[in-house]
Amino acid sequence: MPDLFHPQMMGYLESLVPQRHEVMLEMEARAREIGFPIIGIAGGQFLYQIARMMKATRIFELGSGYGYSTAWFARAVRENGGGVVHHVVWDEKLSSQAKDYLGRLGYSDIVQFHVAEAVETLKATEERFDLIFNDIDKVGYPASIPVIKERLRPGGVLLVDNMFLHGSIFDPTNTAEAVQAIRTTTKLLTQDPQFISSLIPIRDGIMLSYYVP
């Protein structure tokens, strides 16, 4: 996926991220090779920083791919003293790949793996989370927000990826279902008095929403 912003800026942001573990570099190389939409290097560092700053120990990912963003979260949870990161995908193959990568990174004791529909899996849990990361099918974003609010602890953080949708939201004539869903989600998060939200222009846009019920 091409970067929305000037490649010099994205390259500069990525150059500021400290060297990653060799398995992380392998995961990044795989994304480039097959065109898999991971959060990106600068995006991953941002996720890690937020999780560390808030001392998160309970994290739930809605849509986890082969575990790249999970690895950043798991690192933060480990450094925060331990806890759990829930990795959720429909695809058995992706889940298996994530288990391999995250196992080699030493995070098997932190990550819980689910092969299931992400929002229903979150809904079925009985706990509240410090941080929830949303990267499901974009059409499903609006309907996921009420479920997320039920599962975020007061003072928790929601992070939502792809809020620029490759720049398509800036075209007022684009009324595709996914584009409309992103616009609706943006309004839900920025106009809801229970969230304090900022849209961070890293890669494809990451919404950072602080939950203050």
Side-chain angles (χ1 to χ4, degrees):
M1 184 200 71
D3 290 319
L4 176 61
F5 297 108
H6 195 290
Q8 282 187 320
M9 186 182 79
M10 292 308 302
Y12 177 68
L13 292 178
E14 292 181 356
S15 74
L16 301 177
V17 178
Q19 182 68 16
R20 278 84 61 213
H21 189 284
E22 61 182 13
V23 175
M24 296 289 285
L25 298 179
E26 182 181 334
M27 297 171 84
E28 293 161 12
R30 177 175 176 78
R32 291 191 296 269
E33 178 183 350
I34 66 175
F36 196 92
I38 61 173
I39 191 71
I41 299 168
Q45 174 74 5
F46 179 71
L47 303 188
Y48 163 73
Q49 180 179 353
I50 295 299
R52 283 288 278 131
M53 286 173 64
M54 63 182 302
K55 296 179 173 57
T57 59
R58 296 165 297 164
I59 297 177
F60 197 101
E61 285 192 295
L62 295 157
S64 305
Y66 58 71
Y68 183 73
S69 55
T70 315
W72 287 100
F73 284 133
R75 176 186 168 192
V77 167
R78 170 66 53 76
E79 294 174 3
N80 287 339
V84 62
V85 180
H86 291 266
H87 175 283
V88 190
V89 287
W90 266 115
D91 191 298
E92 288 271 9
K93 185 176 180 180
L94 284 175
S95 184
S96 178
Q97 291 170 355
K99 288 178 182 177
D100 175 63
Y101 285 128
L102 295 164
R104 288 193 283 138
L105 283 163
Y107 299 139
S108 295
D109 60 324
I110 289 175
V111 181
Q112 289 189 15
F113 297 91
H114 310 264
V115 180
E117 198 283 321
V119 177
E120 287 302 315
T121 304
L122 175 63
K123 190 175 182 180
T125 65
E126 296 183 355
E127 62 180 302
R128 287 182 176 263
F129 295 93
D130 302 311
L131 190 155
I132 295 175
F133 177 58
N134 197 355
D135 194 15
I136 60 173
D137 182 76
K138 310 316 161 196
V139 173
Y141 272 9
S144 71
I145 301 304
V147 178
I148 289 168
K149 288 179 70 173
E150 291 178 358
R151 291 294 177 262
L152 263 183
R153 68 162 172 82
V157 164
L158 167 63
L159 294 165
V160 190
D161 195 22
N162 302 118
M163 297 302 286
F164 294 149
L165 204 59
H166 321 310
S168 58
I169 64 161
F170 303 123
D171 179 1
T173 67
N174 192 328
T175 57
E177 188 177 10
V179 176
Q180 296 288 61
I182 292 292
R183 290 175 177 145
T184 297
T185 304
T186 301
K187 289 180 180 179
L188 286 172
L189 294 175
T190 57
Q191 297 179 9
D192 187 336
Q194 292 186 310
F195 281 113
I196 300 172
S197 298
S198 293
L199 184 48
I200 311 301
I202 293 177
R203 204 181 63 94
D204 197 29
I206 303 173
M207 183 71 80
L208 168 63
S209 298
Y210 176 57
Y211 187 43
V212 285

